[in-house]
Each structure stands twice: as structure tokens, then as C-alpha cells.
């Protein structure tokens, strides 16, 4: 039997001055990890855009 997955995309918004705070991303990832989510990929496409976190967990 194959594993089935749930997927989730989280958006980490850029601050008012255009910066990201790694500690805020880490805090969010810790909370998601406690819920069983595993980070698969993260994309930060532009300097002013958000970072997208792609996560999965077994269904």
C-alpha cells in the first residue's frame, strides 16, 4: 500500500522594510512540525515577495 499525503502551502510575508526574519520562519516551522507537517521546499522568488513553504504529512 502506498502512503497518501496531505499538502499545505504556507506564506511567510515580508516585513514592512522588505526583510524576512529567520527566527519568525523557524518559529512557524516549529509549530507546523508539532502538527506533523514536514517541509518539502521553500521558495523566495523576489526580494519584495513572500516566501512560500511547501509542506506535507501523511493522510
Amino acid at each position: 500500500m502506498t502512503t497518501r499525503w496531505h499538502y499545505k502551502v504556507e506564506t511567510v510575508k515580508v516585513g514592512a522594510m522588505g526583510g524576512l526574519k529567520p527566527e519568525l520562519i523557524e518559529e512557524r516551522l516549529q509549530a507546523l512540525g508539532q502538527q506533523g507537517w514536514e517541509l518539502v521546499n521553500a521558495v523566495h522568488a523576489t526580494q519584495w515577495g513572500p516566501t512560500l513553504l511547501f509542506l506535507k504529512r501523511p493522510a
Side-chain angles (χ1 to χ4, degrees), residues 29-42:
L29 285 171
Q30 291 289 352
L32 290 164
Q34 291 296 318
Q35 298 171 24
W37 292 102
E38 177 183 354
L39 180 66
V40 176
N41 197 4

Side-chain angles (χ1 to χ4, degrees), residues 4-54:
R4 293 181 181 255
W5 300 97
H6 286 275
Y7 296 97
K8 180 179 189 70
V9 178
E10 280 282 314
T11 301
V12 179
K13 296 179 182 175
V14 177
M17 300 301 289
L20 286 171
K21 294 186 177 180
E23 59 273 9
L24 294 178
I25 296 172
E26 184 176 340
E27 183 179 298
R28 186 66 187 134
L29 285 171
Q30 291 289 352
L32 290 164
Q34 291 296 318
Q35 298 171 24
W37 292 102
E38 177 183 354
L39 180 66
V40 176
N41 197 4
V43 176
H44 185 72
T46 66
Q47 179 180 0
W48 303 106
T51 296
L52 299 175
L53 306 175
F54 297 89

